[in-house]
Amino acid sequence: MSPILELQNVSRAFGGIKAVNDVSFKLEEGEIVALIGPNGAGKTTLVNAITGVHTPTAGKVFFEGGDVTRQKPFQAARRGLARTFQIVQPFPKMTVLENVAASALFGGHPESLAEAHDHAARELDFVGLGHVAQSPAASLTLPNRKRLELAKSLAMSPKVLLLDEVNAGLNATEIDGALDLIRRIAARGVSILIIEHLMKVVLSLSSRVLVLHHGELIAEGPPQEMVHDRKVIEAYLGPKFAERFQKEMALG
Amino acid sequence: MGFAQILANGVVLGTLYACIAIGFSLVWGVLNVINMLHGSFIVLGGYLTYFAWAYTGISPVLILPVVAVLLFGLGYALQYLFINKVVSAPVLTTLTLTFGLDMILYNLMTVFFTATPRRVSMDFGRLEFWGVAMPVDRLIGMGLALLLTALLFVVLRTSRIGRAIVAVRMDREAAALMGIKVNHIYAVTFGIAALMAGAAGSVFAMVFPVTTNLSGVFLGKAFVICVIGGLGGVSGALAGGLALGIIESFAGVLVGPQNAITIGFVLMLVLLIVRPQGLVGVKGYE
Amino acid sequence: MMARKSPWPLIAMALWLAALALTPVVLGNYEVRIAISIAMFTALALSWNIIGGFTGYPSFSTAAFYGIGCYVGALAQRSGVPAALAWLAAAAFVGGVSFLIGAIVLRLKGHYFAIGSIALVDISRLVVSSWGEVTGGGNGLNVPLLQGRPPEVSALVLYVMLGIMAAAFLANVLVDRSRLGFGLRCIEQNEDAADMVGIDTTRYKIAAYVLSAVFPGAVGAVYASWVGYIDPTDSFDILTTVKVPVMAMLGGAGTLLGPVVGAVSFVLLEEIFWANFLEWNRAIMGAIVVALIFFLPGGILKLDWRAILRRPSRRKAAERKPG
């Protein structure tokens, strides 16, 4: 079986700077893979390159076996390759329900506007926002905005979901709620690539971890191995601290 | 006409153009406002210079600073009283507001000055060098335009207020946190822009006839020059002005003056699409 | 909700159309002329509403579409095409032009789009002025006059303009209630997010731009037939190009009836000031524009009339609360 999403040697340069350099990986159907890396490693750029916000300067992106390297963002959405934004992007003057209905209508495959609304209402219940469906999107709290982002992506009936730091800025209780939600999304058969800073999330959700540093994929493997990987620790802490850190780990 | 002559005409025109556009560029770059009043400021400067000269006989070069100060006051007041209130609104609002203010100013000028073309006529004869003939008044105009441009450059670079303007342009919030009074800086910037426009109008009236009907033409030039040169900087306006002056001068000979103006606009549209930051400038924030 | 919209705007518009259509029967020539002006500018403001109101793109290219319409209609009529066909041809031609231009300028946003759209008016005027052998250049063009006695001609022009106005209104209603309108509102609020939820923003924006161009094209052509003479300065006027968005904002941009209310208010005010303060007309209109920005930012229709009727002190208290 071919992977649902595959990157072959994808690079994206801005001027002379390669924000993403020669990245290759596969996402199998039903998998949850975490993409980690220090700030500025190029994680968001990679998501942008996958979804057509920035066309890769080299390499290829395959979705369900087809070449989608040169797609536009709206085409990605319609294909079932959805994403959330690190900085949430609602339509501020619309109600929460209309926000999600827009995704269902344009990104999903509804028969009519009424059906798009029904679908939107179901997704709002799924993410736990049913009670604020008629509130203006601009009035939501941050955790609820993050849930709205998720509902918007889900309304497009995605096959692959790219989650860009959906847990940033949330407190411990809120994160537990988000973890539960992501597991339920995965249970629907959606393959997920999640960008994450929080090790707790990475360890409890993902079956595999990709580590990006200076735009390059420096390590890939099961989460437990990755947190002890020398290269990964170096990327986060620098070589000097990495050494000390590993010594301390070895001691106890 | 020889190559050198066409080039020289273009350079003279270009420095005047730079002087015309510089204030517009400053307002766009710092306040993020498209100032539809700009053309009328230039015409006002020209008319004031003409009438002061016609009634008193004082040299227009001495009148220029007075006109410039008056325009600064007008610009500061308009910004402080009106534009500041909506300065962060979308472009539709700010552009429409300045257009409304322009309708008022334009009307006042047609009532008090009429639309008759006016020119400060000083016959200094012409100078010939390297096979190029140039009326002396145009050379004086060019010299004044360059002087004004250089002056603004130095003020922005070295003075306290100039540094504050640059700081506000780069990051309004950070500048406010550092204790810069943003509203005051905005008003000063708008005042300086009006000052430069008024001075440019003075210079223009010494070289070409000025009439209210030219206000739209000046504004159009400012658009084109800003897009060609990029926003906010003195160097951008100078480069854009010179480029437009030289292009118009050569195109005028090759395809006729009317088409030369069209070429300027078309070039602007092309640049807008392919290089919105201009030839030398930094891209303005949306 | 989107599926069930109030029928009142449609009813109000039908009554208003009927009232304007009655002017030739019950009122004199002067009133008919004003009615034509109202119909013209209402059509222009409604057209602008699609790109400027629904989509939120600060377009100042109305005068370019209108002017090109003037010239295409006039040239078609001069070469023997019947008036009605010439008007349709003008609308179609302007639609085509706006499609091509839209594909280019709609890549710009904010200030750059505003400047680019104004430049289109300047470029059109300059091209028409310098293309003398076809357009008559700065001397302008005579257009074959419509046949008939003057009152009949004015009535005919009024009915045609009302037809265009009704069509522009219908276009607004259809856009408002369709997928297209929903998509345009998404673009207005957050274009990147609109792209991300699967809206082909380029195609949607071009559709809005073309819809905002065809009716001004037709209005221009009919106007040319009515007055019998056109020149570049009047046809491609910057004043027109700013006046039209001002009308839409005066009533309330992005609503169905806003541009209608705004256009009639503006035209009537202008008429009063023209008649009484000819010399100061422009300044007074300028003052109205300034007042609009400060006191009516949402337009006449968005005014909270009840709040205004209440005592000012209580109004202030009410304003303080939500902030």
Side-chain angles (χ1 to χ4, degrees):
Chain A
M1 200 182 69
S2 71
I4 189 143
L5 179 70
E6 182 176 1
L7 271 66
Q8 288 180 357
N9 311 99
V10 168
S11 297
R12 168 72 209 198
F14 296 99
I17 301 149
K18 279 200 168 169
V20 169
N21 192 8
D22 202 25
V23 170
S24 304
F25 70 82
K26 292 174 186 171
L27 182 68
E28 301 295 340
E29 207 166 333
E31 236 188 337
I32 302 183
V33 171
L35 177 66
I36 66 170
N39 281 327
K43 301 183 297 278
T44 298
T45 309
L46 187 61
V47 171
N48 285 340
I50 296 171
T51 52
V53 177
H54 302 310
T55 308
T57 34
K60 283 195 183 318
V61 181
F62 293 93
F63 179 67
E64 294 187 301
D67 184 348
V68 296
T69 313
R70 312 208 68 81
Q71 70 187 342
K72 297 253 175 59
F74 77 89
Q75 292 166 325
R78 288 181 188 176
R79 284 196 175 106
L81 186 51
R83 61 140 347 148
T84 64
F85 284 92
Q86 192 175 348
I87 298 153
V88 289
Q89 303 267 8
F91 301 116
K93 294 184 223 162
M94 291 183 186
T95 64
V96 170
L97 182 67
E98 281 174 313
N99 262 274
V100 183
S103 294
L105 184 63
F106 296 106
H109 311 280
E111 297 288 311
S112 66
L113 202 59
E115 201 186 298
H117 275 108
D118 288 346
H119 188 180
R122 282 199 304 277
E123 296 301 353
L124 281 176
D125 287 337
F126 182 80
V127 302
L129 285 182
H131 60 293
V132 288
Q134 297 302 335
S135 313
S139 72
L140 292 186
T141 57
L142 181 72
N144 279 350
R145 283 185 198 204
K146 299 257 179 188
R147 283 174 186 264
L148 174 59
E149 273 297 287
L150 280 173
K152 276 170 73 179
S153 330
L154 289 173
M156 296 188 264
S157 310
K159 295 176 182 125
V160 170
L161 195 51
L162 308 172
L163 301 176
D164 194 351
E165 302 206 9
V166 278
N167 300 310
L170 302 188
N171 66 32
T173 339
E174 288 159 359
I175 287 170
D176 286 336
L179 279 178
D180 172 56
L181 183 54
I182 294 168
R183 280 201 197 94
R184 286 193 289 130
I185 294 170
R188 283 164 55 163
V190 181
S191 319
I192 296 174
L193 179 71
I194 178 166
I195 293 186
E196 209 26 271
H197 271 306
L198 300 164
M199 278 305 149
K200 178 184 173 189
V201 177
V202 174
L203 291 172
S204 65
L205 279 181
S206 58
S207 55
R208 204 150 52 91
V209 175
L210 306 167
V211 187
L212 203 63
H213 183 46
H214 291 321
E216 293 181 42
L217 216 49
I218 55 165
E220 181 179 354
Q224 295 298 343
E225 275 176 35
M226 284 302 102
V227 289
H228 298 295
D229 187 286
R230 177 67 192 260
K231 273 189 292 183
V232 177
I233 299 165
E234 269 190 26
Y236 272 93
L237 304 174
K240 222 167 148 184
F241 282 94
E243 204 174 317
R244 214 169 83 190
F245 181 74
Q246 280 201 318
K247 268 185 204 152
E248 282 168 17
M249 293 287 281
L251 288 173
Chain B
M1 231 189 311
F3 180 83
Q5 179 72 53
I6 305 173
L7 184 66
N9 290 346
V11 169
V12 170
L13 194 62
T15 48
L16 287 179
Y17 278 174
C19 205
I20 283 175
I22 229 161
F24 183 81
S25 159
L26 196 65
V27 167
W28 186 353
V30 177
L31 277 69
N32 209 20
V33 165
I34 291 174
N35 177 22
M36 300 293 283
L37 276 158
H38 192 75
S40 295
F41 281 159
I42 298 170
V43 173
L44 181 61
Y47 270 133
L48 289 175
T49 307
Y50 169 81
F51 283 106
W53 168 78
Y55 284 109
T56 65
I58 299 172
S59 160
V61 178
L62 297 175
I63 297 169
L64 186 149
V66 181
V67 169
V69 169
L70 282 177
L71 263 290
F72 177 87
L74 177 66
Y76 189 99
L78 284 176
Q79 169 67 25
Y80 202 83
L81 295 175
F82 295 103
I83 305 165
N84 256 346
K85 310 267 190 271
V86 293
V87 75
S88 49
V91 59
L92 185 62
T93 305
T94 50
L95 191 151
T96 308
L97 173 63
T98 54
F99 188 80
L101 292 169
D102 181 64
M103 288 171 81
I104 300 173
L105 178 59
Y106 186 96
N107 201 156
L108 286 168
M109 288 199 299
T110 49
V111 169
F112 289 113
F113 301 139
T114 74
T116 321
R118 308 282 190 182
R119 183 185 166 190
V120 178
S121 36
M122 304 174 294
D123 196 3
F124 294 118
R126 43 209 286 137
L127 221 58
E128 298 222 10
F129 49 95
W130 309 312
V132 174
M134 190 61 68
V136 173
D137 51 12
R138 284 195 196 186
L139 288 174
I140 296 176
M142 175 176 153
L144 283 172
L146 281 176
L147 183 70
L148 284 163
T149 310
L151 216 61
L152 181 66
F153 184 77
V154 171
V155 166
L156 285 182
R157 269 296 161 94
T158 57
S159 73
R160 243 180 106 81
I161 201 93
R163 298 316 299 165
I165 289 173
V166 174
V168 171
R169 166 174 158 65
M170 287 199 264
D171 191 333
R172 181 186 165 174
E173 274 74 34
L177 287 175
M178 285 158 65
I180 294 174
K181 285 188 205 129
V182 174
N183 280 349
H184 172 67
I185 292 302
Y186 276 172
V188 169
T189 307
F190 204 84
I192 291 177
L195 178 152
M196 288 301 291
S202 279
V203 173
F204 208 88
M206 297 175 211
V207 184
F208 298 107
V210 173
T211 145
T212 40
N213 298 332
L214 278 179
S215 97
V217 176
F218 288 140
L219 186 64
K221 298 284 179 220
F223 287 178
V224 176
I225 293 161
C226 269
V227 172
I228 295 180
L231 283 185
V234 173
S235 51
L238 195 59
L242 281 173
L244 184 65
I246 292 168
I247 290 166
E248 279 192 4
S249 188
F250 278 95
V253 175
L254 294 173
V255 294
Q258 182 90 44
N259 289 323
I261 303 170
T262 315
I263 285 175
F265 273 105
V266 173
L267 177 70
M268 156 182 158
L269 211 54
V270 172
L271 272 174
L272 264 180
I273 308 296
V274 300
R275 201 179 153 77
Q277 69 272 42
L279 291 177
V280 293
V282 205
K283 194 178 172 187
Y285 47 94
E286 284 294 302
Chain C
M1 214 59 264
M2 304 237 351
R4 250 172 302 143
K5 291 248 177 178
S6 153
W8 287 111
L10 277 169
I11 295 168
M13 189 63 180
L15 291 173
W16 178 229
L17 266 172
L20 286 175
L22 278 177
T23 42
V25 186
V26 295
L27 294 166
N29 225 335
Y30 171 72
E31 286 82 5
V32 173
R33 200 180 57 72
I34 295 178
I36 293 176
S37 211
I38 290 174
M40 263 178 74
F41 279 105
T42 307
L44 295 181
L46 281 166
S47 307
W48 179 87
N49 197 39
I50 296 176
I51 185 77
F54 289 126
T55 323
Y57 267 63
S59 168
F60 292 95
S61 36
T62 305
F65 303 142
Y66 166 87
I68 295 172
C70 284
Y71 271 87
V72 173
L75 290 171
Q77 277 198 269
R78 281 167 67 97
S79 57
V81 178
L85 263 180
W87 300 336
L88 285 175
F93 184 87
V94 171
V97 168
S98 66
F99 179 83
L100 296 176
I101 292 175
I104 302 167
V105 295
L106 288 166
R107 294 168 59 178
L108 303 169
K109 292 198 175 89
H111 295 63
Y112 291 97
F113 177 78
I115 289 273
S117 69
I118 295 179
L120 291 177
V121 179
D122 284 315
I123 292 176
S124 315
R125 183 181 51 242
L126 287 164
V127 168
V128 166
S129 311
S130 51
W131 198 9
E133 58 270 33
V134 176
T135 61
N139 295 328
L141 272 186
N142 286 314
V143 189
L145 282 170
L146 294 165
Q147 297 300 313
R149 293 188 305 117
E152 288 165 5
V153 169
S154 330
L156 173 69
V157 170
L158 175 63
Y159 293 138
V160 175
M161 289 291 191
L162 286 177
I164 301 172
M165 164 177 144
F169 183 74
L170 233 67
N172 271 264
V173 171
L174 291 176
V175 167
D176 187 41
R177 297 180 178 194
S178 68
R179 214 182 147 87
L180 173 63
F182 195 7
L184 295 180
R185 284 186 197 280
C186 290
I187 293 172
E188 190 255 331
Q189 293 177 36
N190 190 334
E191 189 166 340
D192 288 333
D195 206 352
M196 287 301 160
V197 300
I199 298 171
D200 186 347
T201 50
T202 313
R203 234 182 60 196
Y204 272 55
K205 287 188 294 182
I206 292 176
Y209 200 60
V210 171
L211 278 174
S212 81
V214 283
F215 304 111
V219 167
V222 176
Y223 178 82
S225 304
W226 181 37
V227 295
Y229 169 79
I230 51 171
D231 70 19
T233 337
D234 275 353
S235 305
F236 301 96
D237 188 359
I238 294 286
L239 206 57
T240 312
T241 226
V242 183
K243 222 154 79 172
V244 170
V246 164
M247 289 175 188
M249 286 189 282
L250 181 61
T255 62
L256 288 178
L257 287 180
V260 183
V261 173
V264 62
S265 317
F266 197 96
V267 170
L268 289 180
L269 283 172
E270 206 173 24
E271 197 56 43
I272 294 167
F273 295 129
W274 265 118
N276 297 307
F277 314 93
L278 185 54
E279 204 180 29
W280 291 100
N281 170 62
R282 195 169 172 135
I284 293 170
M285 297 321 291
I288 290 174
V289 171
V290 174
L292 160 72
I293 297 294
F294 287 116
F295 302 117
L296 278 176
I300 295 172
L301 291 185
K302 296 238 173 92
L303 269 184
D304 188 351
W305 290 104
R306 268 170 296 177
I308 287 169
L309 294 176
R310 255 183 276 152
R311 286 217 313 279
S313 58
R314 280 174 59 193
R315 194 163 92 225
K316 263 181 201 148
E319 272 167 10
R320 228 174 281 136
K321 222 182 282 166

